[in-house]
Amino acid sequence: MLKNQHNLVGNFLTMLNSTKSSVRDYLIKQLPTATAFINTRFEVVHASDQWIDSFEFSAPEVFGATIFELFGETGERWRPILESCFKGTCSKQNIDSYFNDSGEEVHIQWRNLPWYDENENIVGAIIQNQDVTQRIVNEQKLVKLGAFLDEKSKTAKIGSWELDINRNIWWCSMTKEILGVPESYIPSQESILSFFKEGESQQKMIKVTKLALEKGKPWSDKFQIITKNGEEKWVICTGNPLYQNGETTGLIGTFRDITEKVNQDAKSKEKEHLLQTLIDHLPINVFIKDTKARKILANKHELEFFGLQHENQILGKDDSHFITGESLKACLADDFYVIEKGKAILKKENTVVLNNGKEVTFSTSKIPLLDEDKNVIGLVGISLDISDQKVKEEELRRLINVTSLQNKKLVDFAHIISHNLRSHAANFSMLLEFLVTEKDKDEKQNITQMLVKASDGLLESLDNLNGVVAISTNINIDKKQINLSKSINKTANQLSDLLLKNNVTFINNVTESVVVKAIPEYLENILNNFITNGVKYRESTRDSFVKFKTTKEENYTVLSIEDNGIGIDLKKHGDKMFGMYKTFHHNEDAKGIGLFFTKKQIEAMNGKVEVYSEVGVGTTFKIYFNDKS
Amino acid sequence: MTKVNSIFIVDDDPITVFGIRKILNSIVDCNQIETFGNGKLAIDAIKNILENNGEIPEIIFLDINMPIMDGWQFMEEFINLPIEMRVRINVITSSIATADLDNWENYRKKTHHIVDYANKPVKRSEITKITKPA
């Protein structure tokens, strides 16, 4: 460019020399560059307006004045250069910097050439000046900008790239650093794709580049790249088309390493997922409520518990939508206690009544939820359904009761046996002692007979005890469905002689369809016993009857056996009524074993027996047959 | 031989009654030995005697396990009867239940009558010891 300028000036001067002086003056005056002609005495002969203006001289003063007069010291510096110019040497292009009157730094680029006349004799020198202040400032600015950009790109890890009109690719050093290639690496259109991970990232890069070049569409997208050493990274690559005359001439863009952020995001997402999975799959109800006790989070278990499909069905609602009655009041009171006092309630047992009437017992903890400033912004609730546990506790308590009752019965039974056998043993012992010492033959005979009687008594006792043991140990005998009415009739038929002989009327009011679960032998014995009892303890002064009927009570079919016999004083004898060897009437047939057996057999069938009686009026026994077990 | 005016035996077991009677016959001189099958019969008889100013038995042999009214129920009624004289009550039982021993202790303290306690089988030596008017 400078060379061209030189030629241009040369041609122009040749042209100038061949024109008349006045015309020459005029032409020089109008030269677009700052140019001055000085003679060998260093006096200004010609000068363009540009030259005069650029040094802020005034036209008439300039002409005839020497360079030294005009520029002072600076002019002196030019003397040797100008002198060598007078000898035919072109000076190099120089830049002089100085501060002008306003104190601004000014940069002047200058060059001196020898001034030839028509005969190629050197008559002076031509000085060309150019104010390059703006250019110098711009250059400095550019250098600064470059430094800034470098710094920024290093700090933000943002690289840049360019695809120029000739399809050459340029990467900045940060881009190269991200891609793990040395500073000297020269990318090519063929090689760049290999940095993008095969599959989605590569395909996407091809697509966006094509769209940008053909349609001028910019992009900003996430890509997975593989560096030179095989490391996988995530980058955001942007691309913007460059236009010239409406044509896309190239692309420029940025290249940002976001691997760390992506990894962090993935990590926090993973953590979030873990937490969510945990909350959802905990086999307990987990919920979060806001300060108005409305649920703002509920885990799967909580939703399933209320029979809901989606979180939306529960969010924003307080417990009044799910719980009723007193239990609701208690729940809300707890919620607001935690919210207002900021104190936790831990493992509180509460039984709630759901809208569908179902009762559930929970062990609930409610913990205040605090923000960073320790303000309560809600509560976290954890509820464990302990209904089953409660039922089991109840069952356990019941079993303990049954066991202790059984134990008591066992002790009682042991006493009965002990007492019974001791009585017989005592009799044997006594009689044998008599027998040994007795002299009288008849009395010996008498004692022997008594021994036989004692022996029979012992055998009978053993038989009875055996019976009790049999009932108590055979509780697993299968029960059968038995038609009660038919059974009663059958037993009454077998006892018809007894009933007839004692003039006792038998009344069966049991509905024909009633069926009970019972052991047939036991049922027969029980019915036999009660009918016989009715006859034994009839009041002979009136027309006697034994009446059967059934009623239903929860889980039980109840058979009532009513008579109008002599009755019994339950206050006196109630506790012993069903005891072994207890008799309460002056009745030769009373052995005190019938009711004892009957009760054992009823109990062995998971039933129970009750007695109502009034002396002189009659007695009613109620036998409960268990429908379930 | 000890002389006793009246003795009651309250027991539902005929063999025991036989035994006690047999022993008594050989150790005491008593014209009136009566037997009752349960407490109710005995207490009724005593009440009857009281009404007619008859002779209250000096010694009562009392069984515990009996139908209708057992030994302790009899005892409860007996100690509340207006009987000034001291009657010797010999509880004769085959029971070894502590509840019965407790009852015995209890009644012994509650009454001015003499209450003794002996386990079956009855022995001549024992009966001899406890068969004398209080």
Side-chain angles (χ1 to χ4, degrees):
Chain A
M1 206 149 135
L2 287 172
K3 205 181 164 195
N4 288 346
Q5 204 177 19
H6 179 219
N7 285 345
L8 196 76
V9 173
N11 293 342
F12 173 70
L13 291 177
T14 316
M15 189 183 79
L16 264 185
N17 286 338
S18 59
T19 48
K20 284 186 180 165
S21 175
S22 59
V23 176
R24 191 195 300 166
D25 279 354
Y26 189 67
L27 284 175
I28 290 174
K29 184 179 158 64
Q30 292 187 69
L31 277 175
T33 54
T35 311
F37 291 72
I38 58 161
N39 57 23
T40 47
R41 289 184 305 275
F42 302 101
E43 291 162 350
V44 176
V45 181
H46 304 290
S48 69
D49 287 350
Q50 273 284 325
W51 193 86
I52 297 167
D53 288 349
S54 67
F55 296 113
E56 293 167 359
F57 300 137
S58 49
E61 292 168 10
V62 168
F63 300 108
T66 65
I67 289 295
F68 314 119
E69 285 164 355
L70 289 171
F71 292 99
E73 256 180 66
T74 312
E76 280 301 331
R77 284 215 305 271
W78 295 339
R79 184 189 289 270
I81 301 162
L82 286 169
E83 277 172 348
S84 65
C85 213
F86 296 156
K87 287 171 186 152
T89 311
C90 293
S91 77
K92 283 181 199 152
Q93 185 143 304
N94 289 305
I95 291 176
D96 260 356
S97 304
Y98 65 95
F99 290 92
N100 66 7
D101 296 344
S102 325
E104 289 162 345
E105 194 175 23
V106 178
H107 303 273
I108 304 294
Q109 180 183 291
W110 58 267
R111 184 181 161 85
N112 298 331
L113 307 165
W115 180 15
Y116 297 94
D117 66 4
E118 307 90 68
N119 307 313
E120 295 288 315
N121 298 316
I122 294 171
V123 293
I126 306 167
I127 304 172
Q128 278 191 311
N129 292 72
Q130 205 178 344
D131 186 342
V132 291
T133 307
Q134 196 55 47
R135 204 188 83 209
I136 296 289
V137 168
N138 282 349
E139 272 174 12
Q140 282 172 349
K141 228 185 234 174
L142 198 64
V143 171
K144 265 192 214 163
L145 275 177
F148 272 137
L149 193 66
D150 264 5
E151 195 56 38
K152 273 189 184 168
S153 108
K154 264 186 202 141
T155 314
K157 293 205 169 176
I158 299 176
S160 44
W161 59 272
E162 184 182 355
L163 176 72
D164 70 15
I165 195 155
N166 301 316
R167 296 294 182 262
N168 293 319
I169 291 164
W170 170 83
W171 286 350
C172 83
S173 48
M174 181 42 73
T175 304
K176 286 176 181 167
E177 197 185 310
I178 292 170
L179 287 164
V181 293
E183 193 66 39
S184 58
Y185 184 83
I186 298 166
S188 69
Q189 244 188 313
E190 292 72 39
S191 66
I192 55 164
L193 269 184
S194 69
F195 287 99
F196 289 86
K197 194 174 179 181
E198 253 181 89
E200 200 193 335
S201 282
Q202 220 174 59
Q203 296 306 315
K204 199 154 67 179
M205 184 38 79
I206 293 169
K207 198 177 129 193
V208 293
T209 325
K210 197 164 175 252
L211 272 172
L213 287 172
E214 289 174 4
K215 306 255 163 93
K217 201 176 162 195
W219 82 80
S220 172
D221 216 331
K222 211 159 84 172
F223 298 90
Q224 215 172 355
I225 58 160
I226 296 163
T227 67
K228 192 82 184 164
N229 1 338
E231 196 188 339
E232 282 193 15
K233 283 185 180 173
W234 281 95
V235 296
I236 285 182
C237 178
T238 65
N240 284 288
L242 289 176
Y243 303 98
Q244 201 166 7
N245 303 328
E247 292 280 319
T248 307
T249 54
L251 304 170
I252 56 163
T254 59
F255 206 70
R256 182 151 66 102
D257 187 350
I258 53 158
T259 313
E260 231 167 81
K261 190 177 175 304
V262 168
N263 285 347
Q264 259 171 14
D265 284 358
K267 230 179 236 174
S268 60
K269 209 174 248 180
E270 202 177 310
K271 270 186 194 163
E272 201 175 296
H273 179 71
L274 188 75
L275 199 63
Q276 189 65 42
T277 311
L278 191 70
I279 291 173
D280 270 350
H281 292 87
L282 276 175
I284 51 177
N285 296 19
V286 178
F287 51 84
I288 295 178
K289 288 176 175 176
D290 64 12
T291 49
K292 293 196 170 142
R294 295 174 302 207
K295 278 177 184 157
I296 52 173
L297 180 146
N299 75 338
K300 259 188 198 158
H301 205 265
E302 169 96 345
L303 292 178
E304 278 165 19
F305 176 79
F306 289 116
L308 302 175
Q309 311 296 323
H310 201 269
E311 241 188 356
N312 292 344
Q313 293 169 282
I314 201 167
L315 297 188
K317 294 176 182 171
D318 65 16
D319 284 343
S320 64
H321 292 80
F322 310 102
I323 300 172
T324 59
E326 286 297 314
S327 62
L328 170 66
K329 277 187 203 164
C331 277
L332 289 175
D334 283 353
D335 284 353
F336 287 110
Y337 170 84
V338 173
I339 289 163
E340 281 158 20
K341 306 258 172 178
K343 284 182 187 164
I345 293 176
L346 298 175
K347 287 188 184 169
K348 183 177 176 178
E349 268 187 29
N350 55 333
T351 302
V352 299
V353 183
L354 303 184
N355 277 345
N356 60 11
K358 199 176 145 196
E359 273 190 28
V360 182
T361 305
F362 280 117
S363 169
T364 301
S365 294
K366 288 174 180 172
I367 300 138
L369 191 61
L370 306 175
D371 66 6
E372 282 174 3
D373 300 326
K374 309 274 182 206
N375 296 318
V376 180
I377 52 166
L379 65 89
V380 181
I382 301 162
S383 286
L384 180 62
D385 184 348
I386 53 166
S387 306
D388 285 353
Q389 204 177 315
K390 280 273 139 188
V391 169
K392 276 179 191 142
E393 261 175 41
E394 281 298 314
E395 178 74 359
L396 193 65
R397 209 166 289 146
R398 200 185 63 80
L399 278 176
I400 288 169
N401 283 343
V402 168
T403 313
S404 60
L405 200 70
Q406 295 280 26
N407 202 35
K408 190 182 171 298
K409 278 184 185 170
L410 209 60
V411 170
D412 288 350
F413 186 59
H415 274 144
I416 289 168
I417 292 178
S418 154
H419 178 254
N420 225 319
L421 297 185
R422 281 181 63 84
S423 310
H424 291 293
N427 283 345
F428 277 117
S429 167
M430 183 187 74
L431 290 171
L432 285 171
E433 199 191 299
F434 288 161
L435 196 63
V436 169
T437 51
E438 188 56 58
K439 302 272 174 0
D440 186 77
K441 208 180 164 194
D442 288 344
E443 187 67 358
K444 267 192 170 178
Q445 185 75 23
N446 193 14
I447 293 168
T448 311
Q449 270 173 8
M450 285 220 179
L451 271 172
V452 172
K453 211 169 140 192
S455 167
D456 288 346
L458 176 61
L459 279 177
E460 200 191 333
S461 278
L462 287 176
D463 263 358
N464 288 338
L465 292 175
N466 221 12
V468 176
V469 172
I471 295 165
S472 300
T473 52
N474 289 345
I475 45 174
N476 290 326
I477 295 177
D478 277 347
K479 289 194 277 183
K480 288 178 182 148
Q481 299 279 351
I482 302 171
N483 183 297
L484 192 56
S485 183
K486 277 186 187 164
S487 287
I488 293 167
N489 285 337
K490 190 178 150 200
T491 310
N493 270 336
Q494 286 165 356
L495 296 171
S496 57
D497 282 352
L498 182 79
L499 288 163
L500 203 66
K501 201 173 87 188
N502 293 293
N503 202 19
V504 175
T505 315
F506 159 76
I507 306 161
N508 181 1
N509 286 340
V510 176
T511 318
E512 276 178 34
S513 60
V514 172
V515 167
V516 292
K517 280 171 93 176
I519 300 165
E521 296 81 16
Y522 287 5
L523 181 63
E524 200 179 315
N525 182 56
I526 291 161
L527 294 172
N528 190 308
N529 217 302
F530 282 115
I531 295 174
T532 315
N533 259 337
V535 175
K536 267 191 208 167
Y537 303 112
R538 70 188 181 281
E539 176 59 74
S540 43
T541 57
R542 56 181 174 240
D543 292 339
S544 303
F545 65 81
V546 182
K547 194 157 75 183
F548 293 80
K549 64 167 184 179
T550 52
T551 49
K552 282 292 283 185
E553 273 180 39
E554 197 189 357
N555 291 338
Y556 290 102
T557 301
V558 185
L559 173 64
S560 302
I561 304 162
E562 183 192 345
D563 68 42
N564 59 345
I566 55 178
I568 183 167
D569 187 346
L570 289 175
K571 269 187 200 153
K572 268 192 187 165
H573 307 298
D575 55 333
K576 293 174 186 163
M577 182 100 194
F578 296 98
M580 200 175 189
Y581 299 117
K582 305 287 183 191
T583 54
F584 310 97
H585 302 96
H586 305 275
N587 190 317
E588 284 174 18
D589 296 336
K591 280 188 266 178
I593 197 84
L595 278 178
F596 176 78
F597 269 138
T598 309
K599 184 164 190 267
K600 285 267 170 222
Q601 287 176 330
I602 292 167
E603 283 170 352
M605 298 188 294
N606 290 324
K608 55 183 178 179
V609 58
E610 287 172 359
V611 61
Y612 305 89
S613 187
E614 201 177 322
V615 176
V617 178
T619 304
T620 301
F621 289 97
K622 277 186 165 185
I623 304 166
Y624 288 72
F625 291 98
N626 199 317
D627 295 336
K628 293 269 168 67
S629 58
Chain B
M1 242 198 210
T2 319
K3 174 95 174 90
V4 182
N5 290 329
S6 169
I7 297 176
F8 275 17
I9 302 172
V10 189
D11 198 323
D12 63 330
D13 177 21
I15 294 175
T16 307
V17 173
F18 168 80
I20 294 172
R21 272 184 175 276
K22 190 170 169 57
I23 294 168
L24 287 178
N25 280 335
S26 64
I27 60 166
V28 289
D29 177 7
C30 180
N31 298 327
Q32 204 184 349
I33 299 178
E34 283 193 64
T35 304
F36 303 91
N38 63 57
K40 179 89 173 112
L41 296 172
I43 203 79
D44 286 350
I46 291 167
K47 282 177 185 167
N48 198 32
I49 292 168
L50 273 176
E51 273 174 33
N52 300 316
N53 285 322
E55 198 173 9
I56 299 289
E58 289 169 279
I59 300 172
I60 301 172
F61 289 91
L62 181 67
D63 184 24
I64 295 174
N65 285 289
M66 288 179 292
I68 302 169
M69 181 187 276
D70 70 17
W72 299 126
Q73 286 170 323
F74 168 84
M75 190 72 105
E76 187 63 40
E77 288 207 26
F78 181 79
I79 62 171
N80 288 321
L81 291 176
I83 298 171
E84 275 177 34
M85 68 174 271
R86 286 180 108 191
V87 177
R88 173 182 278 276
I89 302 163
N90 295 326
V91 176
I92 306 283
T93 181
S94 55
S95 167
I96 50 164
T98 48
D100 287 331
L101 282 171
D102 290 348
N103 267 333
W104 170 53
E105 278 291 337
N106 195 18
Y107 283 114
R108 227 157 62 120
K109 286 175 193 158
K110 262 165 85 172
T111 178
H112 65 282
H113 301 297
I114 293 174
V115 186
D116 248 322
Y117 192 97
N119 270 119
K120 291 181 186 177
V122 288
K123 290 211 166 62
R124 183 184 297 272
S125 55
E126 228 167 327
I127 296 291
T128 308
K129 222 160 63 186
I130 58 176
T131 308
K132 47 195 165 203

